[in-house]
C-alpha cells in the first residue's frame, strides 16, 4: 500500500524561502503530486514529478528522489497568500485516485 | 470552460439520516473521484466513476454509494449517517483514469452530522 509522511505545521517569514518535505512508501511508483489548499477551499494542483530531479515553476519548485522515496516543495519569496496547507499525494497504481498525506499547514508571518 | 461544481455548499443532517451530494464534472472529463476530508487531515479516496461504472473504491463501508450519469455528473449517497461522517466532501474530475490525467477539484460540500 501507500504511506505518506509530511510535517504537520511550519512557519516562515514573508520574503523567505521554505522547504516542505514529503517521504513516501508505495508498492509501485506512478509519480508524486503537490497540491495547495487554502482553508475551506478545494485543493489546487501545483506540480507533478515522475522523474528524479528538480522542476521549477515560478516561485515554486518541486524535487523528487525515487530511490530515497523523498520529495520536497520549495517556495521562494514567500507571500502572505502562500499561507495554506500543502498536500503531498501519490496515485494508487496507475489510476488517478490519489493517496494524500495529512498536509503541512504553512503560516507566513510578517 | 466550466470548472467542477458541487452542490450543496453546506449541509446539516442528524445521525441516521441519508444524504445525497452532487458533482458536475469539468467539460470533456469522463472520470469523477470522490474524497472525504476530515478537519486537519488530507483527503481520503472514497471511490471513482469512469463512464458510468465504479472504477475503484477506497476503504469506506457500503453505506457510501455513488452514481455517474451519461453527462458524467455524479452523486455520492451516504446512508445511516454517523457523527464521524462530518467532513468536507470533494469531487475531482479528470479526462481519464491514468495517473497522468490531472484531477480538478470542486469547491466541496461541507457536511455536518449532529
Amino acid at each position: 500500500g501507500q504511506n505518506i509522511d509530511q510535517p504537520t505545521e511550519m512557519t516562515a517569514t514573508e520574503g523567505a524561502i521554505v522547504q516542505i518535505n514529503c517521504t513516501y512508501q508505495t508498492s509501485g511508483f506512478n509519480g508524486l503530486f503537490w497540491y495547495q489548499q487554502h482553508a475551506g477551499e478545494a485543493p489546487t494542483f501545483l506540480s507533478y514529478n515522475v522523474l528524479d530531479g528538480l522542476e521549477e515553476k515560478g516561485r515554486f519548485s518541486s524535487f523528487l528522489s525515487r530511490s530515497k522515496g523523498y520529495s520536497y516543495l520549495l517556495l521562494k519569496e514567500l507571500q502572505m497568500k502562500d499561507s495554506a496547507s500543502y498536500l503531498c499525494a501519490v496515485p494508487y497504481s496507475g489510476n488517478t485516485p490519489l493517496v494524500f498525506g495529512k498536509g503541512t499547514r504553512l503560516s507566513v508571518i510578517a | 470552460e466550466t470548472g467542477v461544481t458541487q452542490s450543496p455548499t453546506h449541509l446539516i443532517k442528524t445521525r441516521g439520516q441519508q444524504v445525497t451530494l452532487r458533482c458536475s464534472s469539468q467539460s470533456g472529463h469522463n472520470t469523477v473521484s470522490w474524497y472525504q476530508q476530515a478537519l486537519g487531515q488530507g483527503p481520503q479516496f472514497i471511490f471513482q466513476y469512469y463512464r458510468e461504472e465504479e472504477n475503484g473504491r477506497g476503504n469506506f463501508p457500503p453505506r457510501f454509494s455513488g452514481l455517474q450519469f451519461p453527462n458524467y455528473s455524479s452523486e455520492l449517497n451516504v446512508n445511516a449517517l454517523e457523527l464521524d461522517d462530518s467532513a468536507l466532501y470533494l469531487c475531482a474530475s479528470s479526462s481519464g483514469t491514468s495517473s497522468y490525467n490531472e484531477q480538478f477539484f470542486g469547491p466541496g460540500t461541507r457536511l455536518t452530522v449532529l
Side-chain angles (χ1 to χ4, degrees), chain A residues 73-85:
Chain A
L73 182 68
L74 193 70
L75 290 73
K76 303 176 187 174
E77 301 169 15
L78 279 172
Q79 301 175 9
M80 301 299 282
K81 68 178 182 180
D82 297 330
S83 293
S85 283

Side-chain angles (χ1 to χ4, degrees), chain B residues 76-88:
Chain B
L76 164 66
N77 299 291
V78 187
N79 293 322
L81 282 167
E82 301 178 359
L83 298 179
D84 285 349
D85 296 334
S86 295
L88 180 68

Side-chain angles (χ1 to χ4, degrees), chain B residues 8-69:
Chain B
T9 307
H10 295 87
L11 201 52
I12 299 175
K13 291 285 189 178
T14 55
R15 214 165 34 165
Q17 285 188 309
Q18 178 267 342
V19 70
T20 298
L21 310 182
R22 295 179 175 83
C23 171
S24 290
S25 58
Q26 186 163 307
S27 177
H29 287 182
N30 55 20
T31 304
V32 172
S33 301
W34 285 92
Y35 294 85
Q36 179 196 66
Q37 187 175 25
L39 203 59
Q41 303 292 313
Q44 277 198 293
F45 171 64
I46 303 174
F47 44 57
Q48 180 188 74
Y49 278 84
Y50 171 66
R51 294 187 174 181
E52 303 179 60
E53 297 286 331
E54 187 177 291
N55 184 51
R57 187 179 184 93
N59 190 26
F60 280 81
R63 59 189 185 83
F64 286 77
S65 63
L67 280 174
Q68 189 178 32
F69 300 100

Side-chain angles (χ1 to χ4, degrees), chain B residues 6-7 21 29 45 70 73 88 105 111-112:
Chain B
Q6 292 185 243
S7 62
L21 310 182
H29 287 182
F45 171 64
S73 65
L88 180 68
F105 284 84
L111 173 65
T112 302

Side-chain angles (χ1 to χ4, degrees), chain A residues 25-97:
Chain A
Q25 294 171 320
T26 62
S27 51
F29 185 75
N30 292 283
L32 185 141
F33 291 81
W34 283 97
Y35 281 81
Q36 180 192 59
Q37 186 178 28
H38 286 98
E41 297 182 11
T44 55
F45 171 81
L46 289 177
S47 67
Y48 173 53
N49 293 67
V50 65
L51 299 176
D52 290 350
L54 185 69
E55 293 202 7
E56 299 186 65
K57 196 185 290 185
R59 295 190 298 114
F60 291 14
S61 302
S62 54
F63 172 83
L64 175 68
S65 169
R66 289 173 294 173
S67 62
K68 295 182 179 178
Y70 168 68
S71 174
Y72 67 72
L73 182 68
L74 193 70
L75 290 73
K76 303 176 187 174
E77 301 169 15
L78 279 172
Q79 301 175 9
M80 301 299 282
K81 68 178 182 180
D82 297 330
S83 293
S85 283
Y86 291 86
L87 300 161
C88 175
V90 293
Y92 282 96
S93 357
N95 290 333
T96 45

